[in-house]
Amino acid sequence: MLPPVPQTSRLPRTVIVVGGGLAGITSALACADAGAEVTLYESRRSLGGAASSVRLGGLEVDAGQHVFLRCCSAYRRLLRRLRSDHLTELQERMDIVVLHRDGRRGRLRRNGLPAPLHLARSLATYPFLTPSERGRAALTAVELGGLETEDRRLDSQTFGSWLAAHGQTTGAIASLWNLIGQSTLNLRADQASLLLAARVFQTGLLARTAAADIGASTVPLARLHAAPAMTALREAGVAVNLGAPVQSLAGEASGCRVATRHRSARADAVILAVPPARAARLLPPGALPGGVDLTALGASAIVSAHVVYDRPVMPCAFVAALDSPVQWAFDRSRYAGLERGRYLTVTISDANDLLREPVAELRDLLLPALAQLLPAAREARVERFLVTRVRAATFRQAPGSARHRPGPRTALPGLFLAGAYTDTGWPDTMESAVRSGLRAAGQALGAQAHEGARGAA
Ligand SMILES: Cc1cc2nc3c(=O)[nH]c(=O)nc-3n(C[C@H](O)[C@H](O)[C@H](O)COP(=O)(O)OP(=O)(O)OC[C@H]3O[C@@H](n4cnc5c(N)ncnc54)[C@H](O)[C@@H]3O)c2cc1C
């Protein structure tokens, strides 16, 4: 079950949720579980938003590989609520095989010692750092763990400049800090906000021994999120409207009104759970606090290549790569409905530069890089090479972004915001989306209780 949102003395009546990504799904379920009559509008023909899959070249592929960590408690609770958590795998212990273009191989894995000692042994033998870099990295990790992440001043600096000021060499930043940071923040350290980086490393790596154990879906994301969400929403009594983009939104004396092309509907509360650029277009003027500009959040792209080889090429379920255009590669053969051959997803974060690159160029870039990293790929035949690109995979998690992440409340009493981009304290991830959905639902139901109490008085 999702955690209960604040109970009201008078049950809330009507809630409209706009957007059927993880944030909208979570809000809708939380409001319905609390007794509200909920209607959800989603512009696409399926639920799941960014965390979904499409059919491409005969394969069911995710628009990009999604992973989560053991510390993603809200997301994992949502999967239990959707009864799809059995369709994921979670490592018993964090274990990342790291391959260098030159053939060297390393491993980052934790042991059972209390954090941060759980990584000390792995760091002490990590082959891509010199002995002095290893010592400095351990000290810097302790300092990063001690940063006060409530201090918004951390958002005025890049993670990279902070690392450099703490003695991290360019090599250490590339082979250690970017390995984790670039994939979670979708920006390299020299661009990313120190505030968000500190939160990622503290929550995900340094605070608890088991926090960074890595999980992933064992089925295409549409089967992990979209289909189970549709079932759960219907069972909870939510009216789901797919292929129904909301075109406008306005506050009323009590509640809010939304309009699609074909109809207009009013509710006591509306939760707007769409990406920030779309929210900026839909929000009535003056709805956001002064100084908050959703368009200033920008966008970071993720480009993924989907490669089918005629034989096994990966030494394990996934690898991280150094000094290579391949950042991470995942063996998805078991999960994509492939009858023969092996299917790899290659993920490139912070990929705005590659958005317009033709498929042929990406093929010429990535296949030799895969062959350098994976000896078995040198002999293998490539049967398919497909590309997916998501221009606004996340907002641009750079310095200055914190002040443009709004909370769930707006200036309109009946209008609330959800979405991974909102101010959850987490980077733009599935965990952030679910947390934002819960907070918006809590505020919507709480506000209705408040309005109800005022009305009754
Ligand atoms: C390629 C890629 C890889 C990623 N990898 C990871 C990962 O490994 N781990 C991780 O945790 N996160 C990852 N993310 C980020 C994660 O997917 C997002 O943070 C999260 O799914 C966002 O959820 P959301 O509900 O806030 O927004 P969205 O998923 O964007 O949902 C918003 C929904 O609103 C709908 N909508 C828009 N406008 C309207 C309208 N006018 N009317 C009605 N509906 C509308 C959209 O169609 C969409 O379904 C990745 C993202 C991408 C793109």
PDB file of all heavy atoms in Angstrom, residues 159-172:
ATOM      1  N   PHE A 159      29.428  20.591  -8.940  1.00  0.00           N
ATOM      2  CA  PHE A 159      30.030  19.460  -8.235  1.00  0.00           C
ATOM      3  C   PHE A 159      31.508  19.358  -8.620  1.00  0.00           C
ATOM      4  O   PHE A 159      32.380  19.134  -7.789  1.00  0.00           O
ATOM      5  CB  PHE A 159      29.252  18.202  -8.638  1.00  0.00           C
ATOM      6  CG  PHE A 159      29.686  16.936  -7.977  1.00  0.00           C
ATOM      7  CD1 PHE A 159      30.090  16.914  -6.646  1.00  0.00           C
ATOM      8  CD2 PHE A 159      29.660  15.728  -8.680  1.00  0.00           C
ATOM      9  CE1 PHE A 159      30.469  15.716  -6.033  1.00  0.00           C
ATOM     10  CE2 PHE A 159      30.029  14.536  -8.074  1.00  0.00           C
ATOM     11  CZ  PHE A 159      30.445  14.534  -6.756  1.00  0.00           C
ATOM     12  N   GLY A 160      31.781  19.585  -9.920  1.00  0.00           N
ATOM     13  CA  GLY A 160      33.152  19.454 -10.415  1.00  0.00           C
ATOM     14  C   GLY A 160      34.103  20.447  -9.761  1.00  0.00           C
ATOM     15  O   GLY A 160      35.228  20.092  -9.387  1.00  0.00           O
ATOM     16  N   SER A 161      33.651  21.712  -9.607  1.00  0.00           N
ATOM     17  CA  SER A 161      34.554  22.702  -9.005  1.00  0.00           C
ATOM     18  C   SER A 161      34.798  22.356  -7.539  1.00  0.00           C
ATOM     19  O   SER A 161      35.904  22.532  -7.020  1.00  0.00           O
ATOM     20  CB  SER A 161      33.989  24.121  -9.164  1.00  0.00           C
ATOM     21  OG  SER A 161      32.777  24.238  -8.453  1.00  0.00           O
ATOM     22  N   TRP A 162      33.779  21.825  -6.875  1.00  0.00           N
ATOM     23  CA  TRP A 162      33.948  21.423  -5.469  1.00  0.00           C
ATOM     24  C   TRP A 162      34.935  20.247  -5.380  1.00  0.00           C
ATOM     25  O   TRP A 162      35.818  20.229  -4.529  1.00  0.00           O
ATOM     26  CB  TRP A 162      32.585  21.048  -4.879  1.00  0.00           C
ATOM     27  CG  TRP A 162      32.623  20.713  -3.415  1.00  0.00           C
ATOM     28  CD1 TRP A 162      32.491  21.571  -2.358  1.00  0.00           C
ATOM     29  CD2 TRP A 162      32.829  19.410  -2.847  1.00  0.00           C
ATOM     30  NE1 TRP A 162      32.595  20.892  -1.166  1.00  0.00           N
ATOM     31  CE2 TRP A 162      32.808  19.551  -1.440  1.00  0.00           C
ATOM     32  CE3 TRP A 162      33.030  18.139  -3.378  1.00  0.00           C
ATOM     33  CZ2 TRP A 162      32.971  18.482  -0.563  1.00  0.00           C
ATOM     34  CZ3 TRP A 162      33.210  17.065  -2.506  1.00  0.00           C
ATOM     35  CH2 TRP A 162      33.179  17.245  -1.118  1.00  0.00           C
ATOM     36  N   LEU A 163      34.781  19.275  -6.286  1.00  0.00           N
ATOM     37  CA  LEU A 163      35.692  18.121  -6.267  1.00  0.00           C
ATOM     38  C   LEU A 163      37.135  18.577  -6.509  1.00  0.00           C
ATOM     39  O   LEU A 163      38.064  18.132  -5.827  1.00  0.00           O
ATOM     40  CB  LEU A 163      35.283  17.108  -7.343  1.00  0.00           C
ATOM     41  CG  LEU A 163      34.018  16.296  -7.062  1.00  0.00           C
ATOM     42  CD1 LEU A 163      33.624  15.488  -8.304  1.00  0.00           C
ATOM     43  CD2 LEU A 163      34.205  15.365  -5.871  1.00  0.00           C
ATOM     44  N   ALA A 164      37.300  19.483  -7.499  1.00  0.00           N
ATOM     45  CA  ALA A 164      38.662  19.957  -7.815  1.00  0.00           C
ATOM     46  C   ALA A 164      39.248  20.673  -6.598  1.00  0.00           C
ATOM     47  O   ALA A 164      40.420  20.477  -6.252  1.00  0.00           O
ATOM     48  CB  ALA A 164      38.624  20.871  -9.027  1.00  0.00           C
ATOM     49  N   ALA A 165      38.411  21.475  -5.921  1.00  0.00           N
ATOM     50  CA  ALA A 165      38.896  22.202  -4.740  1.00  0.00           C
ATOM     51  C   ALA A 165      39.235  21.236  -3.613  1.00  0.00           C
ATOM     52  O   ALA A 165      39.950  21.594  -2.671  1.00  0.00           O
ATOM     53  CB  ALA A 165      37.830  23.200  -4.284  1.00  0.00           C
ATOM     54  N   HIS A 166      38.709  20.026  -3.674  1.00  0.00           N
ATOM     55  CA  HIS A 166      39.021  19.030  -2.656  1.00  0.00           C
ATOM     56  C   HIS A 166      40.051  18.008  -3.152  1.00  0.00           C
ATOM     57  O   HIS A 166      40.093  16.873  -2.685  1.00  0.00           O
ATOM     58  CB  HIS A 166      37.742  18.340  -2.176  1.00  0.00           C
ATOM     59  CG  HIS A 166      36.935  19.246  -1.297  1.00  0.00           C
ATOM     60  ND1 HIS A 166      36.209  20.300  -1.795  1.00  0.00           N
ATOM     61  CD2 HIS A 166      36.794  19.291   0.044  1.00  0.00           C
ATOM     62  CE1 HIS A 166      35.644  20.943  -0.790  1.00  0.00           C
ATOM     63  NE2 HIS A 166      35.981  20.363   0.328  1.00  0.00           N
ATOM     64  N   GLY A 167      40.836  18.435  -4.122  1.00  0.00           N
ATOM     65  CA  GLY A 167      42.006  17.651  -4.516  1.00  0.00           C
ATOM     66  C   GLY A 167      41.723  16.515  -5.470  1.00  0.00           C
ATOM     67  O   GLY A 167      42.597  15.659  -5.700  1.00  0.00           O
ATOM     68  N   GLN A 168      40.511  16.472  -6.053  1.00  0.00           N
ATOM     69  CA  GLN A 168      40.233  15.384  -7.002  1.00  0.00           C
ATOM     70  C   GLN A 168      40.810  15.732  -8.370  1.00  0.00           C
ATOM     71  O   GLN A 168      40.537  16.806  -8.910  1.00  0.00           O
ATOM     72  CB  GLN A 168      38.718  15.146  -7.109  1.00  0.00           C
ATOM     73  CG  GLN A 168      38.086  14.671  -5.820  1.00  0.00           C
ATOM     74  CD  GLN A 168      38.729  13.395  -5.306  1.00  0.00           C
ATOM     75  OE1 GLN A 168      38.724  12.375  -5.968  1.00  0.00           O
ATOM     76  NE2 GLN A 168      39.316  13.469  -4.115  1.00  0.00           N
ATOM     77  N   THR A 169      41.577  14.824  -8.926  1.00  0.00           N
ATOM     78  CA  THR A 169      42.186  15.056 -10.234  1.00  0.00           C
ATOM     79  C   THR A 169      41.134  14.846 -11.332  1.00  0.00           C
ATOM     80  O   THR A 169      40.089  14.247 -11.093  1.00  0.00           O
ATOM     81  CB  THR A 169      43.320  14.043 -10.488  1.00  0.00           C
ATOM     82  OG1 THR A 169      42.725  12.747 -10.435  1.00  0.00           O
ATOM     83  CG2 THR A 169      44.415  14.148  -9.421  1.00  0.00           C
ATOM     84  N   THR A 170      41.488  15.310 -12.538  1.00  0.00           N
ATOM     85  CA  THR A 170      40.580  15.081 -13.671  1.00  0.00           C
ATOM     86  C   THR A 170      40.339  13.590 -13.854  1.00  0.00           C
ATOM     87  O   THR A 170      39.218  13.147 -14.142  1.00  0.00           O
ATOM     88  CB  THR A 170      41.226  15.636 -14.962  1.00  0.00           C
ATOM     89  OG1 THR A 170      41.818  16.895 -14.645  1.00  0.00           O
ATOM     90  CG2 THR A 170      40.221  15.820 -16.068  1.00  0.00           C
ATOM     91  N   GLY A 171      41.388  12.794 -13.670  1.00  0.00           N
ATOM     92  CA  GLY A 171      41.256  11.348 -13.850  1.00  0.00           C
ATOM     93  C   GLY A 171      40.303  10.752 -12.816  1.00  0.00           C
ATOM     94  O   GLY A 171      39.474   9.898 -13.144  1.00  0.00           O
ATOM     95  N   ALA A 172      40.425  11.198 -11.572  1.00  0.00           N
ATOM     96  CA  ALA A 172      39.557  10.644 -10.516  1.00  0.00           C
ATOM     97  C   ALA A 172      38.109  11.060 -10.752  1.00  0.00           C
ATOM     98  O   ALA A 172      37.181  10.271 -10.533  1.00  0.00           O
ATOM     99  CB  ALA A 172      40.028  11.134  -9.145  1.00  0.00           C
TER     100      ALA A 172
END
